[in-house]
Amino acid sequence: MFLIAYDRIKSKPGNMTKGLNPETLDGLSSEWIDKTIEELKDESFQFKPARRIMIPKANGKMRPLTIASPRDKIVQQVMYKILMPIFEPIFSSHSHGFRPNLSCHTALKEVFSTFQVTSWVIEGDIKACFDSFDHKILMDLIQLRIKDQKMINLLWKALRTGYGESDETIEANLIGTPQGSIISPLLCNIYLTPFDNYVESLREDFDKGIKATRCKEFNKISTRFTRCRNAGRIEDKKYYKNLMRNKSTIDRKDPNFRRLTYVRYADDWIIGIRGSRLESINILNKCNKFLKEHLKLDLSLEKTKISQLSKDKIFFLGTQIYKSRVQIYTSNTKEVNINNEKKNKTITRRKRSLFRMDAPIQVIRARFVKNKF
């Protein structure tokens, strides 16, 4: 398994970056592997302190990134290979971050297929998520599935590994899991699985009805349109047809039809609400209370917000999500007979409440050009 772990990380240039000690993957031998295996058996193995650097975020702030020893990463990769098959079956189907055959694309695909009916979106942002994990809560969750004490002790060592900028200044990790560690994404999914299950329980209590009822006002206009069309009243028919285009076919405030949808990627998550803003606020307060009381995590007041899809744009995984009221597009012209004369006619169609997901290509291109030149 050590050779598989070595083969997994050796081709990535970032894994050759030194930690606080000068050791890299260069000169790795079978003797080192045998020695490390023996140290793991007698529990004398110790992770070396990591090097912490600060990297810029998109909002101009800085976030910490820890760079572990490349050889320690081999041990972490072995741990990941052992733990992943054990915990993967219990992860939520709405969690897409750092899991086999799942990615940002599958998360966005679920958003596109399940958020069509939503009116309000809760954008959740956990404040310093990776740096705030409570070690005891995390290890209690792990011990529900892992009974081997040697693995438990090794995980404790990985969590408590110190960090610093030089050999003289080493600080222990009292909370959190290092960003940049190979096993940190897996530990994040383990830690937030209770939250996934809690949101699923909220969904079961919140969802109501099979489908929304049709809008009564739209039905009245539709009936008048049909009568005018059958009676040959062209001007009245056009009038009611225009009214129909500006009305929704379903009652968007139907109290007997509610839906809650949820998608998470690592520590980024959104909840869609087909209901009222008051109900969205209630759901957000419940989520905030659960995170604080059960996982000792806080939501960022600056970034966590409730938005209306028809008026605001949601930014999730680098994609803007919103609803456009009307999209007008023109198809190819076709030849029609008007007063026994052949003329070309352009066919124009309109579509209401179009669910849109756009990547801000212009923004990305501008940043690329700025960084390049």
Side-chain angles (χ1 to χ4, degrees), residues 33-87:
I33 294 177
D34 294 337
K35 178 185 176 182
T36 304
I37 292 175
E38 290 301 321
E39 289 178 348
L40 290 172
K41 286 181 179 179
D42 61 24
E43 299 190 67
S44 62
F45 177 83
Q46 296 291 336
F47 290 97
K48 297 177 179 61
R51 179 162 63 95
R52 173 165 287 195
I53 61 174
M54 304 301 290
I55 61 175
K57 299 173 65 175
N59 58 6
K61 297 182 179 180
M62 307 293 285
R63 72 179 179 91
L65 179 68
T66 56
I67 303 175
S69 166
R71 299 195 181 192
D72 282 356
K73 289 182 179 180
I74 295 179
V75 179
Q76 292 179 9
Q77 184 66 40
V78 172
M79 296 169 64
Y80 175 85
K81 286 291 186 181
I82 295 172
L83 295 173
M84 174 56 79
I86 298 174
F87 286 95

Side-chain angles (χ1 to χ4, degrees), residues 204-242:
E204 293 176 357
D205 295 336
F206 185 84
D207 285 3
K208 185 178 181 181
I210 299 176
K211 65 178 183 179
T213 58
R214 287 178 62 86
C215 179
K216 295 181 178 179
E217 188 175 354
F218 179 87
N219 287 341
K220 291 179 180 179
I221 298 173
S222 178
T223 301
R224 292 172 183 173
F225 167 79
T226 303
R227 290 174 179 173
C228 293
R229 183 186 59 186
N230 294 338
R233 290 151 47 191
I234 299 176
E235 293 300 322
D236 290 341
K237 184 188 74 171
K238 290 181 179 180
Y239 171 74
Y240 288 117
K241 188 174 184 179
N242 288 329

Side-chain angles (χ1 to χ4, degrees), residues 276-338:
S276 65
R277 177 177 174 81
L278 184 61
E279 290 170 326
S280 302
I281 295 174
N282 185 34
I283 293 294
L284 175 57
N285 291 336
K286 288 182 178 180
C287 291
N288 188 25
K289 183 179 179 181
F290 179 88
L291 288 169
K292 184 172 294 186
E293 293 182 355
H294 295 270
L295 300 178
K296 296 184 179 180
L297 296 174
D298 294 316
L299 291 176
S300 173
L301 298 179
E302 298 177 358
K303 298 180 181 179
T304 301
K305 58 182 180 179
I306 298 175
S307 305
Q308 190 172 6
L309 270 182
S310 60
K311 296 181 180 180
D312 306 313
K313 290 186 177 181
I314 314 304
F315 195 75
F316 181 63
L317 300 180
T319 303
Q320 290 180 344
I321 304 169
Y322 60 98
K323 284 184 178 180
S324 59
R325 287 183 175 274
V326 177
Q327 184 193 38
I328 302 175
Y329 59 97
T330 303
S331 64
N332 296 330
T333 59
K334 71 175 184 177
E335 198 175 71
V336 296
N337 289 323
I338 300 178

